[in-house]
Amino acid sequence: GLQLELLAAARKTGISVVMTAEQGGPRPDAWRGVHEGVLFMAGSAADDGTLGFPEFGPDGKAVPESGMRFLGRVEEGSAAPTNSLNGMVICPRHMGMRQYKAPEESQELTADLTRSRDPLPFPDEYHAAGFEYPRELLALWDQATAKKPCTGIAANDSRPVHPLGGSLHGFNLRLLTTHILARDLTEPLIREALTNGHVYVAHDWLCDPTGFMFGAVNNLGVFTMGDPALMFGKSRLMAILPLPAKLRLIHKGAVIYETMGTNLNFEVKEAGPYRVEAWLTVDGEDRPWI
């Protein structure tokens, strides 16, 4: 079934946490807990566009009005991201069949794919070509974080969508990932990290972002992404990357600093929420990575 496929895809791509949100969920048979080294968390997708991940009681039933809630369909004009929600989807990957409606000139390619034993010869590039920088979503996220903490997450549509049949879960998981900073693979620690914004979103197909860090430092200490930091003395924002990239620092929805390299170091003069983006140049095109 779907859960076995998701487990196989997670193990293949190195994913440690799979969070499923289904209409009318969480289903009684939905996986929870650690399965073969992968932590599963079950949730629901509501009609108002929110994704809920409730806590469960000793009887195995979801506790009403508990857990985390994220706004999942901002682009469709649902509830405001600041309404008692923990965060919002800032990078959606809705894999629809409409993306695969081949034009006439690609009939030869379609025929080649039909003859291929693999679903796609270049799956990452094929799917990622349809992704656009979510400018409007990020603008809404900037507006939300200006009012209250709001965790930004990624969301993938895990339904099999390949026009020739078969499943592409593994490729979906690899294309767009929420990286969670937690000390151990337990549900309480994962919930704590997501609630406090100790996460970042990355397109892993471009490059493995492991080692990326973003935070603030001053005489009071070091503060990681998602944490509040008091303006004290010379407060600096710092980002570290595993390889050189184009870095953009954004404050109140505007790019205030840009640099190229493996690190960013910026002295903060004004309070408020800051976020960073890393872009990679691939085949002459700038693509958002982190």
Side-chain angles (χ1 to χ4, degrees):
L2 174 62
Q3 290 162 329
L4 282 173
E5 290 187 53
L6 287 172
L7 174 60
R11 287 174 59 83
K12 179 181 178 181
T13 53
I15 298 294
S16 299
V17 182
V18 173
M19 302 174 68
T20 57
E22 301 180 73
Q23 290 287 343
R27 297 189 325 196
D29 60 344
W31 281 9
R32 293 176 47 235
V34 178
H35 294 257
E36 298 183 33
V38 179
L39 174 63
F40 281 77
M41 295 174 60
S44 62
D47 292 336
D48 65 356
T50 58
L51 307 176
F53 297 92
E55 296 179 358
F56 289 79
D59 57 358
K61 295 182 179 179
V63 178
E65 306 298 325
S66 70
M68 305 175 297
R69 291 174 64 239
F70 298 91
L71 184 54
R73 292 203 311 266
V74 187
E75 72 276 14
E76 297 178 17
S78 40
T82 53
N83 290 350
S84 67
L85 299 175
N86 298 98
M88 61 179 280
V89 173
I90 59 170
C91 249
R93 186 70 193 182
H94 301 312
M95 308 280 288
M97 286 295 290
R98 63 185 181 277
Q99 295 182 359
Y100 304 99
K101 190 174 182 180
E104 292 181 5
E105 60 268 21
S106 67
Q107 288 179 353
E108 185 176 341
L109 171 61
T110 304
D112 289 340
L113 293 177
T114 306
R115 290 190 295 268
S116 173
R117 287 193 303 172
D118 296 324
L120 291 170
F122 305 104
D124 291 342
E125 293 86 345
Y126 184 81
H127 290 303
F131 177 82
E132 295 182 1
Y133 177 70
R135 193 177 310 277
E136 294 182 2
L137 282 178
L138 292 173
L140 288 171
W141 188 36
D142 288 332
Q143 295 171 22
T145 56
K147 299 175 183 177
K148 58 166 283 188
C150 180
T151 302
I153 62 172
N156 288 285
D157 188 337
S158 64
R159 291 171 294 181
V161 295
H162 192 273
L164 310 178
S167 169
L168 292 179
H169 292 150
F171 305 144
N172 288 356
L173 296 181
R174 189 169 141 71
L175 283 175
L176 186 59
T177 309
T178 304
H179 291 256
I180 301 171
L181 308 181
R183 294 186 180 276
D184 202 1
L185 189 63
T186 67
E187 185 168 318
L189 289 177
I190 297 301
R191 287 181 180 275
E192 181 183 350
L194 284 165
T195 300
N196 294 326
H198 298 163
V199 305
Y200 65 91
V201 172
H203 288 93
D204 289 35
W205 75 275
L206 284 168
C207 180
D208 182 0
T210 300
F212 168 75
M213 288 297 296
F214 176 54
V217 59
N218 58 29
N219 290 345
L220 294 177
V222 178
F223 308 87
T224 191
M225 62 188 87
D227 283 345
L230 290 174
M231 296 281 287
F232 184 83
K234 289 189 175 182
S235 297
R236 310 190 73 86
L237 288 171
M238 301 184 71
I240 301 173
L241 295 168
L243 81 165
K246 294 181 179 179
L247 284 156
R248 305 168 66 193
L249 184 64
I250 295 151
H251 177 57
K252 294 183 178 179
V255 177
I256 61 169
Y257 179 67
E258 294 182 273
T259 187
M260 176 75 189
T262 57
N263 62 82
L264 174 146
N265 195 321
F266 182 83
E267 185 174 340
V268 179
K269 299 294 186 183
E270 188 179 352
Y274 290 80
R275 63 179 178 88
V276 71
E277 295 178 353
W279 292 62
L280 293 176
T281 304
V282 180
D283 195 25
E285 296 180 340
D286 287 342
R287 287 188 173 272
W289 173 33
I290 299 173

